[in-house]
Amino acid sequence: MKKFQLTFILTALLLSIGTACAQNTRKEKEPAGGCAPLETRDPNASAQKPAFVGQTRACGVKSATAFEVTVVAKGLNRPWAVEPLPGGDFLVTEKAGQMRIVTAKGEISEPLGGLLPVGQGGVSEASGQGGLPPITARGQGGLLDVALSPNFEKDRTIFWSFSEQRDGGSGTSIARGALSADRKTVEQVRVIFRALPTYNNGLHFGSRLAFGADGKLYITLGDRYDLRVTRPQAQQLGSHLGKIIRINPDGTVPDDNPFAKQQGAQPEIWSVGHRNLQSATFDDQGRLWTVEHGAQGGDELNLIEKGKNYGWAVISYGEEYSGEAIAGGSTAKAGFEQPVYYWDPVIAPSGMQFYTGSAFPEWRGSIFIGGLVSQKLVRLVVKNNRVVGEEHLLADRRQRIRDVRQGPDGALYVVTDEANGELWKLAPRR
Ligand SMILES: [Ca+2]
Ligand SMILES: [Ca+2]
């Protein structure tokens, strides 16, 4: 072989290796969306494809604003909800059945009166006493969310969700009452909604509460988990399971609900086809966003519209916990809404806040979501109804995040789902 031929071959070889390396580097740095997604683990359902670019694995983003975390209170027993009060204090629910006031300084009150104590094994020992029907604290059930009336400063009314022991098992119920002037009890308590049918397990009760600008109360309800008995009801209008419902604050049904006049339908239904939602928030345009728990893969963010069907379990991302396909692995079908975004693997979402505060101008328009299994506070950057960035905060603290709410001061308040649960305040670093 002549010398120039060898040089030519070697040069060609080196050039092709160099090009391949450059392509690889480019590929690693710039996958599909032109940025690096935060999620790099393999999906559970690896054969599934998103319905549009950016529906999953959004670009990782990083807040420029420095914030500090203050532990406002410790020693809360599995808190499920934090609700900021107008003066800077908080209502906090504990799953076992207590509602407390935590002051801005972190003093934790005795449980508010008017709510019943909870028995073991799903049946209240205090049935028939006090102002409230028994709460069942079995599994995922118990005292769950709390929301303030839109007119709280005048009517002192609060609304809460709980799993109620009833004939045939348990069901998600919603009660309302007025916080007494001394803030020690809840008065004039009455149940204004009972999800039907009941089922005898401790799973998938939902249930976040959110008031719309229309003054109506929106409630998210789970499918009660059972694959054969209750899951199909998420698609059935005669059942409340797997639905978002909309009621007036007194429990009556608004005339303009989508199925209010439909024979055989539960008139409170607002949207259909959900798995288990523990997250709901209204944005600055008055639109309802929710996040629901998927099975293995398939947690999803949805923009909820009147009367629409969100697909569970006719279509779904992810797979069963057994690894089997859900609905034959179908992720899209005419007549069923696509999620705005989904996570596979899951974050296990609970609690949600669309941020509008002045404390963090950079975060205005972001959606914050608590992560249980993922032990993170998830921030989504949303543009034109699409998720364009994802950030994970507070991961270093290694606690299950159950709820996140914006306070009147624009700080974010978070409670952690731990036996020694904490209330945190996120405020700009001074
Ligand atoms: Ca709440
Ligand atoms: Ca869906």
Side-chain angles (χ1 to χ4, degrees):
M1 194 181 283
K2 285 180 184 169
K3 198 177 168 187
F4 78 89
Q5 277 180 318
L6 190 67
T7 311
F8 177 78
I9 290 164
L10 279 175
T11 308
L13 198 66
L14 283 171
L15 272 175
S16 64
I17 289 169
T19 310
C21 284
Q23 275 170 350
N24 272 343
T25 313
R26 243 196 329 268
K27 204 171 159 192
E28 276 159 25
K29 279 184 184 161
E30 292 183 18
C35 64
L38 205 53
E39 183 58 77
T40 54
R41 293 171 294 172
D42 290 336
N44 291 289
S46 53
Q48 292 177 346
K49 295 276 174 289
F52 51 86
V53 173
Q55 196 184 21
T56 190
R57 298 184 182 236
C59 309
V61 292
K62 207 168 173 344
S63 296
T65 313
F67 63 88
E68 60 188 9
V69 181
T70 311
V71 179
V72 177
K74 286 182 178 182
L76 297 161
N77 178 18
R78 300 224 167 261
W80 211 90
V82 53
E83 199 65 19
L85 289 162
D89 297 340
F90 309 91
L91 284 172
V92 172
T93 61
E94 293 172 320
K95 200 164 78 75
Q98 298 82 38
M99 195 182 311
R100 300 176 191 271
I101 289 175
V102 179
T103 67
K105 288 180 185 164
E107 298 146 326
I108 302 172
S109 79
E110 289 298 307
L112 299 181
L115 298 161
L116 287 182
V118 180
Q120 299 299 309
V123 180
S124 170
E125 292 164 353
S127 179
Q129 297 175 25
L132 253 194
I135 291 169
T136 167
R138 176 178 165 192
Q140 298 169 355
L143 177 58
L144 304 173
D145 202 19
V146 59
L148 303 189
S149 156
N151 307 313
F152 177 80
E153 294 196 61
K154 280 186 190 153
D155 62 21
R156 301 187 65 77
T157 298
I158 62 174
F159 297 78
W160 62 95
S161 62
F162 59 104
S163 55
E164 184 184 21
Q165 197 62 35
R166 300 193 224 135
D167 287 347
S170 58
T172 306
S173 297
I174 311 299
R176 60 174 281 168
L179 189 61
S180 63
D182 65 3
R183 306 203 305 182
K184 287 184 175 164
T185 53
V186 186
E187 301 168 334
Q188 302 150 43
V189 169
R190 61 195 168 96
V191 174
I192 57 169
F193 173 78
R194 288 188 164 94
L196 291 169
T198 56
Y199 191 67
N200 191 18
N201 70 3
L203 296 166
H204 291 197
F205 293 98
S207 49
R208 285 293 165 192
L209 310 178
F211 274 97
D214 56 4
K216 312 298 184 193
L217 177 58
Y218 294 75
I219 303 153
T220 66
L221 295 174
D223 71 352
R224 301 306 305 279
Y225 187 81
D226 188 293
L227 198 146
R228 285 173 300 110
V229 180
T230 61
R231 182 191 281 184
Q233 295 181 32
Q235 289 292 326
Q236 295 165 10
L237 291 173
S239 166
H240 288 126
L241 306 186
K243 311 295 188 314
I244 294 173
I245 70 154
R246 176 181 181 254
I247 56 175
N248 293 313
D250 63 359
T252 58
V253 177
D255 290 340
D256 58 344
N257 269 7
F259 307 106
K261 295 175 183 78
Q262 187 168 319
Q263 194 80 28
Q266 294 287 5
E268 300 91 349
I269 294 172
W270 184 251
S271 67
V272 179
H274 303 284
R275 185 171 180 273
N276 188 27
L277 315 98
Q278 299 180 335
S279 311
T281 187
F282 279 90
D283 70 12
D284 55 354
Q285 299 172 53
R287 304 179 305 171
L288 178 61
W289 295 79
T290 62
V291 178
E292 65 188 75
H293 289 279
Q296 198 157 265
D299 285 355
E300 55 179 55
L301 170 75
N302 286 297
L303 185 51
I304 302 300
E305 291 181 62
K306 175 180 178 176
K308 292 203 169 166
N309 191 323
Y310 289 82
W312 181 251
V314 179
I315 58 166
S316 181
Y317 292 95
E319 60 188 19
E320 303 283 7
Y321 294 120
S322 64
E324 282 175 53
I326 299 165
S330 174
T331 59
K333 209 169 194 176
F336 299 94
E337 300 305 305
Q338 277 295 317
V340 172
Y341 194 66
Y342 71 87
W343 290 264
D344 181 5
V346 299
I347 55 168
S350 185
M352 189 174 183
Q353 177 71 58
F354 182 91
Y355 188 78
T356 59
S358 53
F360 293 100
E362 184 190 8
W363 286 354
R364 273 187 216 143
S366 285
I367 292 175
F368 289 85
I369 304 151
L372 295 169
V373 174
S374 58
Q375 300 184 324
K376 288 161 188 158
L377 182 65
V378 176
R379 180 171 79 98
L380 297 180
V381 182
V382 179
K383 227 177 221 166
N384 301 324
N385 302 338
R386 292 282 184 261
V387 173
V388 297
E390 179 170 355
E391 182 175 23
H392 292 170
L393 305 167
L394 306 177
D396 53 321
R397 296 180 170 251
R398 299 187 175 278
Q399 295 202 38
R400 290 162 56 87
I401 295 183
R402 176 58 85 179
D403 197 15
V404 51
R405 296 287 282 137
Q406 179 183 319
D409 54 356
L412 282 178
Y413 294 91
V414 162
V415 283
T416 65
D417 178 43
E418 305 285 339
N420 181 7
E422 299 182 354
L423 167 60
W424 300 338
K425 174 184 183 175
L426 276 71
R429 187 174 290 158
R430 280 168 292 176

